[in-house]
Amino acid sequence: LIQPLTSPPPDSTLRPIRFDQLSDDELDILPHGVIALDREGRVRRYNLAEARFARLDRAHVVGQEFFARIALCTATPEFEGQVQGLFQGRLEGVARFDYIFDFRFGAQEVAIEAERLGEHVYLTVRRKRLLPPRTPGVARAPGVAQRDLAPDEPQAGVLRDGAGQRVIHLGPPFFEGLLQASARAGVPHDLLEECGAAWGRLSVVELEADALERFESVLRDLPMVTAAEFVSDYVRQRGWGRLSFDFAHTNKGAVVLVLERSPFAEVGGRPRGKTCDVMAGFLRSVMSHLAHKKLSVREVRCASEGGERCELVVVGEARRPLIDAALAGGASTTAEVLDVSRRAARGDR
Ligand SMILES: [Zn+2]
């Protein structure tokens, strides 16, 4: 139905997506902001990308007055006036205009599309450039900050990162518990992998926001090596270990990922077999996003089995059964897995 995180063609007049027909989960994997306002100007829907770029927690945004409370800089004839025009029927179809959002942390050049869909006006917000704060006199009243919406959060045990998003410290006992309970309950590896993949799909929104801030570019337009380093930094800075990309196997249709100090592999300090399914799923989503196609990621060796590092193989989705068969057949090194699966693909033995 929707292609997550693909930019629509520039100046598209087709608008193939009706945002009011998308679920909240579907809105959350879009790379651009989506805001639904009711006739009173209250926020009714607010997706993850918008929350990330505005550095707000949407739980505190939904239900608030957009023009009067959340985004004071939009209380202008050019912005609020057009939204009102759509509600009142003075304007029809899609209103498109460029705008500059002012926040205390910076200004954002955005392209807006506004459309009446049912009881709401849907705003699509595409960031074009992220800028330093504008000078007083030029800047409009800044958008609200998370600490204004929820000033007592530190006392309430809520921590936030620099982008206003909630962070939770999880020590090794959490991972220990997850692995113990999964093993005891017989949770299939695929379920843990799928859990990681959902985590990865949502994290891609944050990665793209970070990339826009750092490179003024979407990840796909960066050279592969730059994008790979960027993802490695993201993983490392969050304490998930050191991720490196081995592109030496691309002629065999595979990329090899090496993960050192995986938190899943280190817990307990004893062998448990392969334990990094969640990471594999996360990396599947991120790699599929970078490559703009469906990929599979399988852990071939895990530090939890002994050894220094985890190795994961990334291949096209169609090849996953061959990789799984090679692993089930006892192939234990990355080179072996790639060779066996490649011979199987060609029909050799
Ligand atoms: Zn591992």
Side-chain angles (χ1 to χ4, degrees):
L1 169 65
I2 51 167
Q3 290 230 307
L5 296 150
T6 50
S7 316
D11 300 321
S12 165
T13 50
L14 295 175
R15 288 183 69 80
I17 300 173
R18 275 197 54 148
F19 293 114
D20 60 336
Q21 293 175 354
L22 297 187
S23 69
D24 289 343
D25 288 348
E26 288 169 327
L27 290 186
D28 277 349
I29 54 173
L30 296 172
H32 53 75
V34 178
I35 305 166
L37 301 177
D38 66 16
R39 188 177 275 276
E40 280 71 51
R42 286 187 190 278
V43 178
R44 290 302 163 200
R45 303 181 79 189
Y46 198 83
N47 77 342
L48 190 65
E50 189 57 35
R52 168 61 183 77
F53 278 112
R55 303 191 184 181
L56 299 174
D57 184 329
R58 60 162 144 212
H60 296 100
V61 173
V62 172
Q64 301 266 10
E65 292 178 5
F66 184 70
F67 302 106
R69 173 77 171 134
I70 299 300
L72 293 176
C73 63
T74 58
T76 61
E78 310 91 82
F79 201 122
E80 184 176 5
Q82 302 221 50
V83 172
Q84 293 306 333
L86 288 163
F87 275 121
Q88 292 157 8
R90 284 187 284 111
L91 294 174
E92 299 222 338
V94 182
R96 292 188 177 80
F97 54 97
D98 290 339
Y99 205 75
I100 297 185
F101 283 166
D102 288 296
F103 295 97
R104 275 173 236 160
F105 57 82
Q108 299 180 347
E109 271 182 33
V110 296
I112 303 286
E113 290 186 356
E115 184 179 20
R116 173 94 185 257
L117 294 170
E119 292 303 300
H120 299 130
V121 166
Y122 274 77
L123 302 172
T124 322
V125 187
R126 290 192 171 78
R127 267 72 184 176
K128 293 159 71 174
R129 281 207 301 161
L130 306 181
L131 306 165
R134 295 199 292 172
T135 51
V138 178
R140 301 186 187 95
V144 74
Q146 177 62 31
R147 64 177 176 278
D148 302 329
L149 291 176
D152 297 331
E153 284 193 330
Q155 293 83 336
V158 174
L159 306 178
R160 298 204 175 266
D161 64 15
Q165 308 303 294
R166 187 165 182 180
V167 288
I168 300 136
H169 291 294
L170 293 174
F174 175 84
F175 296 93
E176 181 76 41
L178 183 70
L179 293 179
Q180 275 183 19
S182 302
R184 207 178 304 135
V187 174
H189 287 269
D190 283 353
L191 184 62
L192 293 170
E193 202 264 359
E194 191 52 50
C195 169
W199 168 39
R201 280 192 290 277
L202 296 171
S203 299
V204 159
V205 171
E206 190 180 23
L207 270 165
E208 284 290 0
D210 289 357
L212 191 64
E213 280 169 4
R214 184 150 144 206
F215 302 107
E216 285 194 14
S217 169
V218 295
L219 283 173
R220 201 162 38 248
D221 292 344
L222 296 175
M224 193 61 184
V225 172
T226 308
E229 282 172 6
F230 181 71
V231 170
S232 294
D233 284 351
Y234 180 90
V235 168
R236 186 173 50 79
Q237 286 161 6
R238 282 161 183 77
W240 294 97
R242 178 158 64 189
L243 178 70
S244 37
F245 290 66
D246 180 353
F247 292 111
H249 306 275
T250 47
N251 62 339
K252 295 177 189 164
V255 173
V256 174
L257 304 178
V258 175
L259 183 62
E260 297 163 82
R261 309 295 312 269
S262 162
F264 290 95
E266 287 201 355
V267 293
R270 58 182 179 277
R272 308 176 176 262
K274 297 188 183 78
T275 52
C276 299
D277 306 294
V278 176
M279 288 306 290
F282 171 85
L283 294 167
R284 163 159 71 93
S285 289
V286 171
M287 294 300 289
S288 296
H289 175 67
L290 291 183
H292 205 198
K293 62 179 178 189
K294 283 189 173 176
L295 299 174
S296 286
V297 176
R298 278 292 187 255
E299 186 168 37
V300 173
R301 294 173 64 84
C302 183
S304 178
E305 301 172 300
E308 299 275 295
R309 52 197 220 167
C310 303
E311 291 184 17
L312 304 98
V313 170
V314 187
V315 293
E317 198 181 35
R319 215 170 131 196
R320 189 185 70 182
L322 299 175
I323 297 285
D324 286 348
L327 285 168
S332 60
T333 67
T334 298
E336 225 180 318
V337 166
L338 290 177
D339 280 344
V340 170
S341 70
R342 195 162 59 132
R343 272 185 275 127
R346 288 198 311 240
D348 315 353
R349 280 214 41 98

